Amino acid sequence: MSVVNRCAVSIQARQPLIDWAMTVAPEGCECFGFPPHVYLIPEYDSAEDGEELLAECCEWIFEEELCTWSYDRDLWPQDRNLEQFQQWFTAILHPLVIDADDEEELRNHPSAEEQAAFDAMARKLRRADGGQGFAD
């Protein structure tokens, strides 16, 4: 086992996200019982630093979570600031990440099979939203 040079934040949906998701993708809402998503974030030294880091990346995480339900930014809430983020999600900071798998090395990029599955899912989502897709 080894310590990973990242920290993590777990994100659990709160009722405002669930209510919004029911309007944009009611067929997918059965997965709200799933465990929270976990994002690796840069290392930090104190709880205050962790909160500051979360404030800096909360809009990006918010958008990643919204992409789970719709790539159409017109359907997204206009305000995606820290206050709105805290209303829509429970975020728990994890200052220590340990890799319990000594046999397989960590990697930062998907395997060819994972990338193909992701690309297929993205094509399906683009067809479902009229080909608009996700635009940065």
Side-chain angles (χ1 to χ4, degrees), residues 13-76:
R14 291 182 144 181
Q15 197 62 46
L17 177 75
I18 295 168
D19 294 343
W20 172 81
M22 290 292 290
T23 67
V24 298
E27 68 283 350
C29 289
E30 68 274 359
C31 67
F32 275 115
F34 285 12
H37 293 152
V38 176
Y39 295 89
L40 295 180
I41 59 175
E43 291 180 291
Y44 57 86
D45 294 323
S46 68
E48 294 81 20
D49 290 346
E51 292 294 332
E52 186 176 308
L53 188 58
L54 181 60
E56 291 172 10
C57 65
C58 72
E59 185 175 349
W60 177 82
I61 293 173
F62 205 148
E63 291 178 359
E64 287 295 310
E65 293 292 315
L66 295 173
C67 283
T68 303
W69 303 102
S70 175
Y71 283 113
D72 185 350
R73 287 177 172 253
D74 292 336
L75 299 176
W76 291 5

Side-chain angles (χ1 to χ4, degrees), residues 70 87 118:
S70 175
Q87 292 172 6
F118 176 80

